[in-house]
Amino acid sequence: MAHPLSRIIEQLKREPSRTGSIVITVFGDAIVPRGGSVWLGTLLKFFESLDIDSGVVRTAMSRLAADGWLTREKVGRNSFYRLADKGRQIFEAATRHIYDPPPSDWTGRFELLLIGNGEDRDASREALRNAGFGSPLPGVWVAPSGVPVPAEAAGAIRLEVSAEDDSGRRLLSASWPLDRTADAYLKFMKTFEPLRTAIARGTELSEADAFTARILLIHHYRRVVLRDPLLPESLLPANWPGKAARALCGDIYRALLAPSEQWLDGHGTNEKGPLLPARKLLERRFAA
């Protein structure tokens, strides 16, 4: 296995178990574009590359199904999983946030949502965070005007505010932990820059290693970018690392795409047979 990828896997092993989170990454990045359903055996084969025991994977799949993220279908002795409705709705917003270019048509105004006490607040919290909203106070959420409001927050009181004065900028600084997000971007780049350098120097990864590297790349990147509100450049701190991190992620992703998809061609299976191809859809990811 290529040295930069080995280092990334070793770093992953030193962290608390994130098997369920990696499963979510596999579905969002690789399985949903290929029809949405996958055989458990395909996932177990992938997790072998991370030295994660099959029992740990099976437990994570059961928990994700119990929590409403996945549904399971049995065909004979084989289990096949796909995203549940809850997972699909959240994934659509997250996919745009991760892979699409940051919005460039900001109006200079912000969407302010006020959510009352009770079930609505709890049900909408995760959806709002995934959609890019920040929260300066309990029940108060803010995002650049134009960001779609998730269905879970459809009953919120909606206002528009300006961020051009000092009060507006204080609202922004209280809504998002930009310092922590910047540090996380820098850590991401430190982790994956050696892989980009190795690829640029001609290091070739096997199809299996390319798929592993691709999943770990997006797994690490999405953990940062989904906490980034993608604010207009004029509102960001000086030397904001988000743009450089996206460029690095895109460079590596494009280099890994063909061999990683070849691994899925050979090993990806659903209840009807081989997974559907998705190359054209994936090639649009991380476009300028």
Side-chain angles (χ1 to χ4, degrees):
M1 182 173 288
H3 175 62
L5 181 54
S6 299
R7 289 178 54 207
I8 294 168
I9 292 176
E10 287 304 314
Q11 178 179 317
L12 183 74
K13 290 179 179 178
R14 292 193 295 268
E15 298 178 354
S17 176
R18 297 186 181 276
T19 304
S21 179
I22 296 173
V23 169
I24 292 295
T25 301
V26 173
F27 268 87
D29 184 72
I31 304 305
V32 170
R34 281 176 163 251
S37 176
V38 69
W39 175 42
L40 176 61
T42 299
L43 298 174
L44 295 178
K45 183 70 174 177
F46 160 69
F47 276 102
E48 284 180 11
S49 67
L50 303 179
D51 294 326
I52 294 178
D53 184 75
S54 63
V56 174
V57 179
R58 293 175 189 273
T59 299
M61 299 300 291
S62 295
R63 287 175 177 169
L64 289 168
D67 290 343
W69 285 98
L70 301 175
T71 61
R72 186 181 73 161
E73 180 180 354
K74 291 278 287 186
V75 180
R77 299 178 61 184
N78 295 321
S79 295
F80 300 86
Y81 288 86
R82 68 169 57 246
L83 285 180
D85 289 342
K86 166 187 171 180
R88 210 163 29 241
Q89 293 166 3
I90 294 174
F91 267 60
E92 289 175 1
T95 295
R96 291 191 297 268
H97 202 94
I98 295 168
Y99 302 104
D100 288 357
S104 59
D105 55 351
W106 184 56
T107 63
R109 300 184 68 78
F110 279 77
E111 187 94 43
L112 191 68
L113 303 184
L114 306 178
I115 299 177
N117 293 323
E119 295 181 2
D120 288 346
R121 179 182 292 187
D122 293 336
S124 61
R125 183 183 294 115
E126 184 177 13
L128 285 164
R129 284 177 178 159
N130 289 333
F133 281 79
S135 180
L137 296 167
V140 179
W141 296 84
V142 61
S145 183
V147 171
V149 177
E152 291 85 345
I157 297 173
R158 299 174 61 174
L159 305 169
E160 270 203 329
V161 298
S162 171
E164 296 176 348
D165 57 18
D166 289 341
S167 295
R169 290 181 182 276
R170 287 200 302 272
L171 174 65
L172 300 185
S173 64
S175 298
W176 293 284
L178 293 181
D179 289 345
R180 280 188 289 167
T181 301
D183 288 344
Y185 273 133
L186 293 173
K187 180 180 178 181
F188 166 79
M189 289 191 287
K190 182 179 180 180
T191 298
F192 283 92
E193 183 60 53
L195 179 59
R196 178 167 66 174
T197 300
I199 292 172
R201 289 175 176 171
T203 299
E204 292 188 9
L205 300 179
S206 68
E207 293 175 1
D209 283 355
F211 185 75
T212 299
R214 169 182 157 188
I215 295 303
L216 294 183
L217 174 77
I218 297 302
H219 172 67
H220 282 76
Y221 182 67
R222 78 173 179 88
R223 286 162 56 189
V224 186
V225 76
L226 290 181
R227 292 178 172 85
D228 183 351
L230 303 180
L231 294 173
E233 189 171 351
S234 60
L235 296 176
L236 290 171
N239 302 316
W240 179 250
K243 186 175 182 180
R246 185 179 191 275
L248 182 147
C249 190
D251 288 346
I252 298 174
Y253 194 86
R254 286 186 290 270
L256 298 174
L257 185 57
S260 64
E261 285 295 289
Q262 288 165 7
W263 184 86
L264 272 178
D265 289 341
H267 297 85
T269 304
N270 60 28
E271 60 270 33
K272 296 181 181 179
L275 299 180
L276 298 172
R279 188 72 50 81
K280 295 297 183 182
L281 172 65
L282 300 179
E283 287 174 349
R284 294 198 293 269
R285 289 178 169 177
F286 295 107

